Amino acid sequence: MANGSNYKIPFRRRREGKTDYAARMKLVDYDKSRLVVRLSNANATVQIIDYAPEGDITLASAVSKELPKYGYLGGANNISGVYLTAYLAAKRALAKDIDTAILDIGLKSPIKGSKVFAALKGAVDAGLEVPHGDFIFPEDERIRGEHVAAYAESLDEDELNKKFSKYLERGLNPVDLPENFEEAKKNIDEAEV
């Protein structure tokens, strides 16, 4: 290990790849909440967070594991699932009179059309005001899962059972993903979040 007067060990959360402190300091603003989007291999978490000196305060939150309660049977961490998770979190924030936020994507790269921007579109479509440019959003067809449905239609029965086994276990034919997405979005709108 290096030593000397010029050697500095980064903070633990930076070493673990969890926090970019320089970006966080720019986002911390006492007047605005943060729309925090965090993606794991299996799920998505979207939170509306306020800064406090003693620790962040979570005002509203949604996890993609909650989506089956609203009728969504697709993947929890695909673009459609991330959009619906952010849509649900924004509806919960609006119910608590939180109407503006700034996007916090953490250590994710800001790639046009990525899942973090699908989450941003979900929050904006729910009515949350977040500064953005519309050019970064994924296309609406991808958010609804039409590309998945088109791919599933091109497969024969054996390939469909092999590549979409989790969808089929949950009772969703991947060809019906766009309809299932719209139904889940409607159920979130109608629910008392």
Side-chain angles (χ1 to χ4, degrees), residues 96-112:
K96 295 181 179 181
D97 295 326
I98 302 160
D99 57 358
T100 61
I102 53 175
L103 181 64
D104 178 356
I105 62 173
L107 294 170
K108 289 285 184 190
S109 298
I111 299 171
K112 177 184 173 191

Side-chain angles (χ1 to χ4, degrees), residues 16 24 40 54 86 108 123 135 157 179:
E16 293 172 353
R24 179 176 164 78
S40 70
E54 60 276 355
K108 289 285 184 190
F135 65 92
E157 189 71 28
E179 292 81 19

Side-chain angles (χ1 to χ4, degrees), residues 151-164:
Y151 177 67
E153 283 181 5
S154 70
L155 300 175
D156 64 17
E157 189 71 28
D158 291 335
E159 288 178 321
L160 185 72
N161 291 334
K162 183 177 177 184
K163 294 188 178 189
F164 290 99

Side-chain angles (χ1 to χ4, degrees), residues 59-74:
L59 305 172
S61 169
V63 180
S64 57
K65 290 179 188 178
E66 300 175 65
L67 295 178
K69 289 192 293 189
Y70 299 98
Y72 181 70
L73 301 173

Side-chain angles (χ1 to χ4, degrees), residues 76-96:
N77 197 26
N78 62 17
I79 285 183
S80 303
V82 172
Y83 173 94
L84 289 172
T85 304
Y87 192 81
L88 178 59
K91 287 290 186 181
R92 288 178 177 167
L94 291 168
K96 295 181 179 181

